[in-house]
Amino acid sequence: MTEKKFQPVGAGVRKKDAAALTMGKPVYTEDIAPKGCLCVKLLHSPHAHAMIEEIDVSRAQKAPGVACVLTYKDVPDVRFTQAGQTYPEFSPYDRLILDRHLRCVGDPVAIVAAQTERQALAAMRLIKVSYKVLPAVLDPMEAIDNETIIHPEENWRALVPSCGADNKRNLVAQGVDEQGDIEAELAACDMVIDRVYTTKANQQCMMETFRAFTRMDTYGRLEIVASTQVPFHVRRIIATALDIPKSQVRVVKPRIGGGFGAKQTAVCEQYPAIVTMKTGLPAMLVYTREESMTLSSPRHAMRMHVRLGAMKDGTIRAIDLHTISNSGAYGEHGPTTVGLSGHKSIPIYTHNMKAFRFAWDVVYTNTMSAGAYRGYGATQGLFAVESAVNELAHALDMDPAKVREMNIVREGETMPAYYGEIAGSCAIDRCLARAKEMIGWDEKYPAHTMPNGHIRAVGMALAMQGSGISGVDTGAVMIRLGDDGVYNMAIGATDMGTGCDTVLAQMAAQSLDCSVENITVHGVDTDTSPYDCGSYASSTTYVTGMAVVKTCEELRKKITRVGAKLLGIAEGDALFEGDCVREADGERSVSLTEIANAHMMAGVEDISACVSSGSPISPPPFMAGCAEIDLDPLTGEVKLVDYVGVVDCGTVINPNLARVQTEGGLMQGIGMALMECPTMNERGRTVTNSFLQYKIPARVDAVSVRVEFEPSYEKTGPFGAKSIGECVINTPAPAIADAVYNASGVRVRDLPITAEKILLGDRE
Amino acid sequence: MMEIRFTLNGRAVTAMAEADDSLYTVLRGLGISSVKCGCETTNCGLCTVHMDGQAVLSCSIPAPRCEGHSIVTLEGLQEEAKALGGCLADEGAEQCGFCAPGLMMNVLALAKENPAATDEEIDAYLAGNLCRCSGYMSQRRAVKKYLAMAAGEVRA
């Protein structure tokens, strides 16, 4: 084996699209829309639950500039799900593009398309609707078997009935996973922490709201250009919703202004799509921030009942978790998100575990439909289980770090609560030790009073996630050798700002021993890109990354074969050396440029490869986080002074991008912990409908966030890598909650942790 | 509709606007794609441009008020912004990039107003530029590097 000339893996190279993004180039959906696109607007339901009795659009249709006004009478009676998941989706087929039955405030009543936004809005005011208002189910605790049925329709369909969906009972999913005799083990424990924790329907708040434009292409097919994480799923979803063959739909993904899971749901694509189908004209819908806050795909609000059984010495013997998840008016991601609340929290405490039980109910209510948000249920479950572990430590008068050190999963252990997978690469112990050092845990725990009367305190939490969906997620990569030896790489994975175009190019450059600049990357077009389920579930680095490695292996063989042919030697006597193919025991070589140019003449041999990859396992990344807060006991105001995160994501492919992923995820977790408070009024209307009411962290809200890596080596991953995208959002809520307890004696079990809750809470 | 005449990136332009159109709407209409809208409530900073040398939110400037004024967007500062863009890229701080143009415009204004800004001053000056991807730390590192680099150039 000759020495490598290039070492792109592990280098903090710039993102390939950095220059375009920083210099304000027109690369996003709205920037590249054709001139004269119709402006599409939605009329939203004012009621949480209602039937349309009458709708009169005759005046609106005649208004200036109006191209069409569509109601439930104009759409196919075919139910679908907006959830971007591999077919057959766990999410039930419970939607129409427009429905006479309105199930939440904001549910679309009519679609208006006009030449300008002003005209569309003016026409919308001319639509006359009379509603029959129905009793609304707003409380998820009252949903199951309520006499009000949210989806009574006969054509409601669950494609995967084993998930326990039953529309007649307002159930999206129900189930239980267990091992051992949980009741007997809990009874045998010295102590059981029995608590209920709740989390809210947080908004992803990507800076670019939902948007898409559509047009008929040269071949008479529907082209959708959308800000989406799941172009291939959007193709299927829209074809199903419009009741047209999938061959008639093409989806293109330009640059995306952030996603965080929000755009794993086809929130808006169907509306311009049906306008284009009806009118033949290009159409664009850009959600307002208000629409993005009130009719989108936020986190599932969950109520988690934890019973954590332990012995006096601190060994954790049993965890029982019951999660109730509010899916809202539709079932998008309902059956799947809930699973992570247990499967990505309980396994952390595998080491001494004798039994566990994880049960769940996912319910329909007349609230905004939930969806996918970074962490995808794990964030909620980890707030509950990690808080319970902290509460256990306090009850036993032990250091929470010590309790964790005793109980955390060790590398090589089988995790029964994680589908029986083995922790093949696991540095959670090193993450914990390093996080403690960085924050100065032993000196600072639990709290001390400052000269100004404020209290400084620390808190900690652990987290895990997965790397793709085992046995489901698929990524394919195609690489072709082009002029002068450049490699053209086509991927179906969607860079949404995370930098996966670049990270995957680094892997290809490593495998092909060339510079990252020698790999061109082409983003997603469902007509030309190889299939990829999309960028979600922390899958891209691990799943699509492995496809890169496999594709490169095949490509190297082909290049070697052609090189050997040109040298006039046997294939076995030739070596691939990145910039050339060389005679194994000789001096002669043929350059990559010569090989590339030769294969473009007289049909020598096509040099391209396309390999798909998936994984039967989903190796968890692990992380430890510690918070230091400053609490004003007079007002209850909490300021985050410092947050440290130490991550085991396996091999770090690009340290800059991995660091920013971590810092960004932590900040979202900090927002969820301290300020983001989605709120609904008694009539089911979301009142936190702008950045004035829904506060996300600004740069003055966290003085210091520090990140380090403690890599393990995942042998099933590309170059030893696992995932990073989601794991990093999970620790702040439980860590900050415990710091607040250490400072104030008040245990907040209901996010967010506000000054009011601290000041008015009971001291324990 | 009314006619508005102003200077855009050094060139005289005439635009048609309704009385209640914002500068943001007019700029997008003129094909200026660097300005973005992330909210409707003047919270996000994505639409920041320079008006007579001052950083302003273009969504909050009624278009008719631009009559006779000078407006500069990132399209007009491509050379000046290159070094700052490079600093952001070296940290991976641009991420999705949607907030980048507004941030760049505000940092360029900061560099003129307070070239020796401390961490606190940087955070306070840029507090109105929201970013959901980065968690801000990488942006702070990039801005510090840029300010140091710009100061070095002035000395040299």
Side-chain angles (χ1 to χ4, degrees):
Chain A
M1 192 71 196
T2 50
E3 214 168 278
K4 278 196 163 298
K5 300 173 192 79
F6 294 90
Q7 188 52 253
V9 162
V13 301
R14 284 186 185 183
K15 256 149 55 81
K16 281 188 162 284
D17 51 5
L21 297 188
T22 53
M23 301 310 283
K25 301 299 180 196
V27 292
Y28 302 92
T29 303
E30 196 183 359
D31 303 339
I32 58 171
K35 276 230 176 315
C37 242
L38 292 174
C39 172
V40 179
K41 287 280 170 189
L42 303 177
L43 177 66
H44 298 286
S45 169
H47 303 292
H49 200 192
M51 292 295 275
I52 299 173
E53 287 199 312
E54 260 180 79
I55 182 159
D56 178 2
V57 299
S58 54
R59 285 182 65 212
Q61 269 168 336
K62 287 182 208 130
V66 169
C68 71
V69 181
L70 305 175
T71 71
Y72 69 88
K73 297 164 191 165
D74 303 303
V75 306
D77 187 25
V78 178
R79 295 209 175 256
F80 67 101
T81 178
Q82 294 178 350
Q85 300 180 302
T86 295
Y87 179 87
E89 301 98 320
F90 276 78
S91 305
Y93 280 25
D94 55 8
R95 277 187 190 264
L96 300 175
I97 296 176
L98 293 170
D99 202 334
R100 193 177 177 194
H101 188 167
L102 305 169
R103 298 178 178 83
C104 63
V105 173
D107 231 359
V109 173
I111 305 169
V112 181
Q115 281 163 15
T116 69
E117 185 178 11
R118 276 175 195 275
Q119 289 170 336
L121 291 171
M124 206 153 76
R125 287 191 285 272
L126 300 174
I127 300 173
K128 280 201 178 137
V129 195
S130 61
Y131 300 96
K132 182 187 177 199
V133 178
L134 303 170
V137 182
L138 298 178
D139 181 354
M141 299 302 286
E142 291 170 6
I144 299 177
D145 295 328
N146 195 299
E147 61 186 26
T148 297
I149 298 173
I150 295 166
H151 283 277
E153 62 273 9
E154 287 306 316
N155 58 355
W156 177 96
R157 264 198 317 147
L159 275 60
V160 187
S162 61
C163 71
D166 185 349
N167 58 323
K168 300 287 154 57
R169 299 186 61 204
N170 288 334
L171 262 177
V172 180
Q174 191 171 52
V176 62
D177 182 19
E178 59 189 324
Q179 192 189 62
D181 187 340
I182 185 74
E183 294 301 339
E185 288 300 334
L186 285 172
C189 283
D190 294 333
M191 177 171 287
V192 175
I193 300 293
D194 186 332
R195 302 280 191 272
V196 172
Y197 304 89
T198 55
T199 60
K200 290 201 164 62
N202 298 89
Q203 282 286 348
Q204 297 87 347
C205 298
M206 60 282 163
M207 286 294 119
E208 183 198 38
T209 58
F210 301 94
R211 56 196 60 193
F213 73 78
T214 51
R215 62 184 160 196
M216 301 310 289
D217 78 1
T218 315
Y219 305 98
R221 297 160 71 225
L222 178 68
E223 181 188 348
I224 303 172
V225 177
S227 180
T228 180
Q229 296 171 229
V230 285
F232 285 94
H233 292 330
V234 167
R235 178 173 70 178
R236 185 192 63 246
I237 291 165
I238 299 304
T240 307
L242 292 171
D243 201 18
I244 58 174
K246 294 172 190 78
S247 61
Q248 289 304 299
V249 182
R250 169 186 178 190
V251 181
V252 175
K253 180 218 71 122
R255 291 295 101 181
I256 309 178
F260 317 117
K263 295 168 183 173
Q264 196 198 336
T265 300
V267 168
C268 76
E269 288 85 343
Q270 61 271 38
Y271 307 114
I274 193 166
V275 166
T276 293
M277 291 300 287
K278 296 277 182 190
T279 63
L281 299 170
M284 176 161 65
L285 174 56
V286 174
Y287 262 33
T288 61
R289 180 57 62 183
E290 184 175 349
E291 286 176 304
S292 267
M293 288 293 199
T294 54
L295 188 73
S296 44
S297 57
R299 198 181 282 296
H300 287 75
M302 290 186 188
R303 175 193 186 274
M304 289 148 292
H305 181 189
V306 184
R307 290 192 301 159
L308 180 89
M311 305 310 284
K312 273 186 199 139
D313 67 354
T315 52
I316 295 171
R317 302 277 289 268
I319 297 180
D320 183 24
L321 172 66
H322 178 208
T323 303
I324 296 175
S325 172
N326 183 5
S327 194
Y330 301 94
E332 275 90 18
H333 301 280
T336 40
T337 41
V338 75
L340 280 71
S341 70
H343 292 134
K344 303 266 160 72
S345 58
I346 300 169
I348 291 178
Y349 297 98
T350 291
H351 191 59
N352 301 305
M353 187 91 69
K354 304 278 182 215
F356 80 91
R357 178 168 60 194
F358 167 40
W360 59 89
D361 298 291
V362 185
V363 299
Y364 281 124
T365 60
N366 292 113
T367 61
M368 179 183 0
S369 178
Y373 181 4
R374 194 180 206 167
Y376 203 82
T379 314
Q380 296 94 311
L382 282 161
F383 171 61
V385 170
E386 285 300 296
S387 289
V389 170
N390 284 329
E391 294 207 49
L392 171 71
H394 292 292
L396 292 171
D397 201 19
M398 283 177 73
D399 186 332
K402 175 79 187 140
V403 172
R404 289 187 166 86
E405 282 156 9
M406 290 171 64
N407 292 291
I408 48 175
V409 60
R410 269 58 164 180
E411 194 164 85
E413 280 179 351
T414 300
M415 298 176 284
Y418 191 53
Y419 317 106
E421 276 192 28
I422 295 165
S425 55
C426 174
I428 194 171
D429 50 344
R430 283 190 274 133
C431 292
L432 176 57
R434 182 65 191 133
K436 275 179 68 183
E437 259 172 44
M438 284 172 71
I439 201 88
W441 183 265
D442 292 334
E443 302 82 61
K444 289 176 180 168
Y445 180 80
H448 60 278
T449 306
M450 303 292 286
N452 64 357
H454 288 202
I455 300 159
R456 290 269 170 111
V458 289
M460 72 159 55
L462 301 176
M464 65 180 275
Q465 197 82 34
S467 301
I469 306 171
S470 49
V472 175
D473 282 351
T474 296
V477 170
M478 181 168 68
I479 305 181
R480 290 174 293 138
L481 184 63
D483 294 74
D484 291 344
V486 73
Y487 295 108
N488 304 125
M489 180 166 79
I491 58 170
T494 46
D495 195 330
M496 55 186 130
T498 50
C500 76
D501 285 359
T502 308
V503 166
L504 295 172
Q506 286 178 257
M507 292 185 194
Q510 183 79 24
S511 301
L512 296 166
D513 200 11
C514 65
S515 71
V516 180
E517 291 70 38
N518 203 45
I519 310 279
T520 70
V521 187
H522 197 266
V524 192
D525 176 336
T526 56
D527 272 10
T528 55
S529 304
Y531 182 81
D532 194 296
C533 55
S535 288
Y536 57 87
S538 297
S539 65
T540 304
T541 298
Y542 178 74
V543 176
T544 310
M546 212 52 212
V548 169
V549 171
K550 291 176 181 173
T551 302
C552 290
E553 272 170 25
E554 196 172 310
L555 195 63
R556 287 168 59 126
K557 279 186 206 150
K558 286 193 178 175
I559 294 169
T560 310
R561 187 160 66 230
V562 175
K565 208 181 281 178
L566 292 173
L567 288 170
I569 58 174
E571 201 180 322
D573 296 333
L575 281 180
F576 176 85
E577 285 202 345
D579 56 358
C580 68
V581 169
R582 192 169 60 80
E583 231 179 335
D585 46 4
E587 289 295 307
R588 291 193 311 135
S589 69
V590 54
S591 74
L592 189 64
T593 307
E594 289 171 278
I595 295 171
N597 293 340
H599 98 106
M600 281 185 263
M601 187 181 281
V604 172
E605 180 174 349
D606 173 62
I607 304 183
S608 66
C610 182
V611 182
S612 154
S613 190
S615 176
I617 57 168
S618 175
F622 294 97
M623 141 157 228
C626 292
E628 182 178 4
I629 60 148
D630 178 287
L631 185 134
D632 182 345
L634 293 179
T635 62
E637 189 188 12
V638 174
K639 284 213 165 99
L640 189 72
V641 177
D642 193 12
Y643 200 96
V644 301
V646 183
V647 190
D648 162 21
C649 57
T651 300
V652 180
I653 306 290
N654 182 320
N656 287 3
L657 298 179
R659 179 177 309 280
V660 177
Q661 278 294 300
T662 310
E663 291 168 346
L666 287 173
M667 196 63 82
Q668 290 183 6
I670 290 163
M672 179 185 182
L674 288 172
M675 58 188 79
E676 295 174 32
C677 189
T679 307
M680 212 170 53
N681 71 10
E682 69 289 349
R683 294 176 56 220
R685 187 180 194 87
T686 301
V687 294
T688 41
N689 60 6
S690 79
F691 285 152
L692 288 172
Q693 292 89 7
Y694 190 95
K695 302 307 279 185
I696 63 171
R699 63 192 80 220
V700 287
D701 290 314
V703 178
S704 165
V705 173
R706 295 181 292 142
V707 172
E708 286 191 13
F709 297 94
E710 280 291 340
S712 60
Y713 190 90
E714 174 52 48
K715 62 180 189 299
T716 67
F719 308 100
K722 299 188 278 188
S723 81
I724 188 148
E726 295 183 279
C727 186
V728 292
I729 198 173
N730 295 327
T731 57
I736 291 170
D738 202 45
V740 165
Y741 174 83
N742 289 331
S744 66
V746 176
R747 174 64 59 182
V748 180
R749 301 188 183 91
D750 170 40
L751 293 180
I753 305 158
T754 58
E756 289 84 348
K757 288 179 193 170
I758 296 167
L759 207 58
L760 303 174
D762 293 327
R763 270 157 186 72
E764 289 177 4
Chain B
M1 281 288 199
M2 61 177 79
E3 213 175 70
I4 301 166
R5 281 171 297 268
F6 60 100
T7 310
L8 175 60
N9 297 327
R11 293 177 60 176
V13 293
T14 306
M16 298 301 290
E18 297 283 352
D20 60 348
D21 272 342
S22 67
L23 172 58
Y24 166 79
T25 307
V26 168
L27 289 175
R28 290 285 315 186
L30 289 169
I32 297 294
S33 57
S34 72
V35 290
K36 308 290 184 204
C37 175
C39 67
E40 295 97 38
T41 48
T42 70
N43 291 102
C44 74
L46 267 60
C47 64
T48 304
V49 300
H50 293 175
M51 184 173 183
D52 302 331
Q54 295 273 323
V56 295
L57 296 177
S58 62
C59 73
S60 307
I61 306 287
R65 263 189 54 201
C66 301
E67 178 77 33
H69 289 272
S70 164
I71 305 296
V72 174
T73 70
L74 191 53
E75 282 82 351
L77 291 177
Q78 294 283 295
E79 275 311 307
E80 293 88 333
K82 244 182 204 157
L84 173 56
C87 289
L88 284 168
D90 281 338
E91 292 288 338
E94 77 283 11
Q95 288 289 292
C96 83
F98 208 69
C99 75
L103 176 73
M104 301 269 292
M105 293 305 285
N106 219 10
V107 174
L108 292 172
L110 166 71
K112 282 202 181 121
E113 235 177 87
N114 186 5
T118 62
D119 280 12
E120 291 72 30
E121 287 169 339
I122 292 171
D123 287 354
Y125 196 96
L126 303 175
N129 292 93
L130 293 180
C131 167
R132 191 62 156 170
C133 293
S134 73
Y136 304 117
M137 297 298 138
S138 55
Q139 293 187 347
R140 188 201 286 156
R141 292 192 291 271
V143 171
K144 280 168 72 171
K145 266 187 213 159
Y146 171 70
L147 291 180
M149 201 154 81
E153 269 169 27
V154 171
R155 272 197 300 275

